[in-house]
């Protein structure tokens, strides 16, 4: 009876020692007598106790490597503090274990080194403008190296680029000057457009008045009334100003001069349109 119990205990111990459960999203490497033997997939797996040994189990899911702020120097000798994040995953578990001793340290080292090289090729202005391009270049260059480690870099994000305080103040002053300059240009353009519209409106008004006087000479009295009314309105606006002065103007006299000028221009236009200026369209 005792031998049977002993055999049963041995078999139970063997089963427990040989059974290996790998969680979903993970993989494991097995060595037999010190040499790589096979890879264990998620689920229940069996190995030979004492002969086989699980030397590594790791996740194949995406992982995040937070790059601590690094002091780098640009092409125009400006020191920057750059912070970034690398998203990566193990694509080949065997390479990630046998090709590099410390994978996390290696990824951190190669990322910071490559980042310094890329920043050194750009000026401060280029660094601020082309952050997306630098992310892509960093991603491509990292994958060239990490492919031998069985690692795939999926995304790189440069989260912040912080220049020194003196440079930040200078950049803020420059941006403020640019905003002020753009505002002045827009204001000048607005004034130019307003002047054009005003000139077009004045020209249209003169044409309408000319046509009205040409068709009905009696409209001169109406025109005198409108001109006199403009004088009165202008006088009111002048009186509302705190620095205004009292000026006496004869609306009738001024309106007569304006009306006569418009009438003269109208007659001149009619004469110019007639052949030879005689108004009958025939030659003498």
């Amino acid at each position: 009876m005792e031998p049977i119990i002993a055999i049963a205990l041995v078999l139970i111990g063997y089963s427990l020692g040989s059974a290996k459960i790998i969680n979903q999203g993970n993989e494991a490497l097995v060595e037999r007598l010190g040499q790589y033997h096979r890879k264990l997939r998620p689920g229940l797996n069996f190995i030979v106790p004492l002969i086989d040994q699980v030397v590594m189990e790791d996740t194949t899911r995406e992982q995040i490597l937070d790059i601590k702020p690094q002091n780098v120097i640009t092409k125009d000798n400006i020191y920057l503090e750059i912070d970034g994040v690398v998203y990566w995953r193990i694509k080949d578990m065997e390479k990630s274990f046998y090709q590099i001793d410390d994978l996390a340290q290696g990824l951190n080292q190669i990322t910071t080194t490559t980042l310094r090289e890329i920043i050194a090729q750009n000026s401060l202005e280029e660094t601020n403008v082309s952050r997306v391009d630098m992310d892509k270049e960093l991603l491509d260059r990292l994958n060239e190296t990490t492919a031998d480690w069985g690692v795939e870099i999926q995304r790189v994000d440069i989260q912040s680029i912080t220049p020194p305080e003196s440079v930040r103040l200078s950049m803020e002053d420059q941006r403020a000057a640019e905003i002020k300059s753009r505002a002045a240009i827009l204001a000048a353009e607005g004034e130019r457009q307003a002047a054009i519209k005003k000139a077009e409106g004045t020209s249209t008004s003169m044409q309408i008045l000319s046509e009205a006087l040409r068709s009905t000479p009696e409209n001169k009295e109406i025109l005198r009334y409108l001109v006199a009314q403009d004088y009165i309105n202008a006088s009111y606006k002048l009186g509302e100003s705190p620095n205004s002065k009292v000026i006496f103007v004869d609306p009738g006299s001024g309106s007569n001069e304006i009306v006569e000028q418009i009438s003269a221009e109208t007659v001149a236009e009619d004469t110019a349109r007639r052949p030879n200026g005689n108004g009958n369209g025939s030659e003498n």
Side-chain angles (χ1 to χ4, degrees):
M1 188 66 180
E2 291 181 358
I4 296 176
I5 296 175
I7 294 173
L9 292 174
V10 170
L11 292 175
I12 293 173
Y14 180 85
S15 299
L16 293 176
S18 63
K20 297 294 179 182
I21 298 177
I22 306 300
N23 295 328
Q24 184 66 36
N26 290 3
E27 289 181 352
L29 300 179
V30 175
E31 288 184 353
R32 174 166 292 179
L33 300 177
Q35 292 184 342
Y36 172 73
H37 177 56
R38 65 191 181 99
K39 184 185 302 180
L40 303 183
R41 304 292 182 179
L44 180 60
N45 297 269
F46 293 95
I47 62 174
V48 179
L50 302 178
I51 298 177
D52 293 343
Q53 180 182 5
V54 177
V55 293
M56 177 190 181
E57 180 178 349
D58 205 343
T59 181
T60 57
R61 292 167 289 185
E62 184 177 80
Q63 302 183 62
I64 299 176
L65 176 64
D66 186 13
I67 305 299
K68 296 181 180 180
Q70 303 291 318
N71 291 322
V72 298
I73 185 170
T74 64
K75 183 172 63 176
D76 48 354
N77 295 323
I78 302 296
Y79 283 91
L80 302 175
E81 186 179 81
I82 296 184
D83 184 16
V85 175
V86 177
Y87 298 86
W88 61 283
R89 61 181 290 269
I90 295 177
K91 193 173 182 180
D92 189 324
M93 190 70 66
E94 182 181 352
K95 286 184 177 181
S96 70
F97 182 71
Y98 291 106
Q99 296 297 325
I100 184 169
D101 183 40
D102 190 330
L103 180 59
Q105 183 179 356
L107 287 174
N108 185 79
Q109 186 65 36
I110 190 64
T111 301
T112 55
T113 302
T114 307
L115 182 60
R116 288 193 181 98
E117 293 176 357
I118 293 175
I119 296 297
Q121 298 171 0
N122 295 271
S123 65
L124 175 61
E125 183 178 358
E126 293 169 344
T127 301
N128 289 322
V129 172
S130 59
R131 187 177 302 188
V132 175
D133 295 334
M134 287 193 300
D135 286 343
K136 185 178 183 305
E137 183 179 358
L138 183 58
L139 177 66
D140 294 339
R141 292 179 60 174
L142 287 177
N143 274 319
E144 291 177 1
T145 301
T146 59
D148 295 333
W149 300 347
V151 170
E152 178 185 16
I153 307 297
Q154 298 182 307
R155 191 167 73 257
V156 178
D157 290 336
I158 298 177
Q159 294 183 314
S160 64
I161 300 177
T162 307
E165 182 67 20
S166 59
V167 176
R168 286 203 302 271
L169 293 176
S170 177
M171 293 171 62
E172 290 175 1
D173 291 342
Q174 181 179 358
R175 283 194 294 267
E178 290 175 353
I179 293 173
K180 186 177 180 180
S181 175
R182 287 197 296 269
I185 292 173
L186 290 175
E189 180 64 19
E191 292 177 358
R192 188 180 73 86
Q193 293 295 335
I196 292 174
K197 293 295 183 183
K198 184 176 180 180
E200 291 175 350
T202 302
S203 175
T204 302
S205 299
M206 294 296 292
Q207 292 177 3
I208 293 174
L209 290 174
S210 298
E211 291 295 334
L213 292 174
R214 185 181 297 110
S215 60
T216 308
E218 291 78 6
N219 287 339
K220 289 183 179 181
E221 298 300 326
I222 300 176
L223 180 59
R224 289 192 182 95
Y225 170 76
L226 294 176
V227 173
Q229 191 176 34
D230 286 341
Y231 271 111
I232 294 173
N233 292 336
S235 298
Y236 279 132
K237 292 181 180 179
L238 183 62
E240 293 174 354
S241 173
N243 299 322
S244 62
K245 296 181 180 179
V246 178
I247 301 175
F248 295 97
V249 180
D250 182 4
S253 175
S255 61
N256 288 333
E257 294 177 1
I258 295 176
V259 172
E260 293 303 328
Q261 181 180 355
I262 294 176
S263 300
E265 292 177 356
T266 302
V267 172
E269 290 179 1
D270 290 341
T271 303
R273 292 175 181 175
R274 296 172 185 172
N276 297 325
N278 56 15
N280 55 16
S282 61
E283 296 182 359
N284 293 330

